[in-house]
Structure formats: structure tokens, C-alpha cells
């Protein structure tokens, strides 16, 4: 009987240890799943930020293209004005000659 009681107590002890190990395993698994959820949430935030950054980059590229086109037009106008200034003394001379003839 004593050996039967000892065997029962050992079985109960083994069951408690196994149950505790299972609870610990489930706790670890819950933490991993929780961490996985946090990681998923983090990845989703990163994906949203990346999409937002892509939009900003596209808008910046469009703005840069517009600015470059405006700068090119301005450069053309400056070149045109410079050419007109170069010919101004000649035009003044022509006007002087024409005025003197009058």
C-alpha cells in the first residue's frame, strides 16, 4: 500500500511538473505571439510610412521637374534679354544717324 501511495504521489508530482511546464510553454508561446503581433503592427506602420514617403518623393520629383522647367524658361528669357542688350548700342547708333538725317 505504501508503494501504491508513493507511486500515486510520484504520478501526481509528474503531472504537476508537466502541467507547470505546459503553462510555461503556453506563456512563452503567448509572449511570442504577442511579440509577433507587435512586429506585425510595426511592419504595418513601416509599410504605411514607406507609402507616405513614396508619395512625398513623387511630389518632390514633380515639384523639381516643374522648378527645372521654370528655371530653363527663365534662362531662355535672360539669354534673350542679354542678346537684346548686346544689340542696343547698335540700335542707338542707328537712331542717332536717323535723327541726324532728319
Amino acid at each position: 500500500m505504501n508503494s501504491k501511495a508513493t507511486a500515486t504521489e510520484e504520478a501526481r508530482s509528474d503531472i504537476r511538473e508537466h502541467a507547470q511546464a505546459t503553462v510555461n510553454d503556453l506563456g512563452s508561446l503567448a509572449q511570442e505571439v504577442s511579440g509577433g503581433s507587435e512586429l506585425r503592427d510595426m511592419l504595418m506602420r513601416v509599410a504605411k510610412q514607406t507609402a507616405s514617403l513614396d508619395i512625398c518623393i513623387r511630389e518632390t520629383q514633380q515639384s523639381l521637374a516643374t522648378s527645372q522647367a521654370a528655371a530653363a524658361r527663365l534662362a531662355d528669357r535672360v539669354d534673350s534679354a542679354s542678346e537684346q542688350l548686346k544689340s542696343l548700342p547698335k540700335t542707338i547708333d542707328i537712331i542717332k544717324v536717323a535723327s541726324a538725317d532728319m
Side-chain angles (χ1 to χ4, degrees):
M1 200 103 162
N2 195 12
S3 100
K4 186 176 180 183
T6 304
T8 302
E9 192 57 38
E10 286 179 8
R12 285 181 183 163
S13 178
D14 287 344
I15 290 171
R16 278 194 294 271
E17 287 177 17
H18 182 69
Q20 186 60 46
T22 301
V23 166
N24 290 342
D25 289 345
L26 289 174
S28 296
L29 182 60
Q31 287 178 344
E32 288 176 16
V33 168
S34 173
S37 177
E38 291 172 14
L39 180 60
R40 185 196 72 228
D41 291 347
M42 228 157 86
L43 289 173
M44 290 182 73
R45 282 193 303 273
V46 167
K48 287 178 184 177
Q49 290 171 349
T50 301
S52 179
L53 183 59
D54 286 343
I55 291 169
C56 288
I57 289 171
R58 274 194 302 267
E59 289 172 352
T60 302
Q61 286 173 331
Q62 289 173 349
S63 178
L64 178 61
T66 300
S67 295
Q68 287 173 331
R73 287 191 304 274
L74 181 59
D76 288 345
R77 288 180 184 166
V78 167
D79 289 345
S80 176
S82 177
E83 288 300 317
Q84 289 175 359
L85 284 175
K86 286 179 185 176
S87 67
L88 188 58
K90 191 179 203 180
T91 304
I92 291 172
D93 288 343
I94 292 171
I95 292 172
K96 283 181 184 177
V97 169
S99 300
D101 288 344
M102 292 184 152

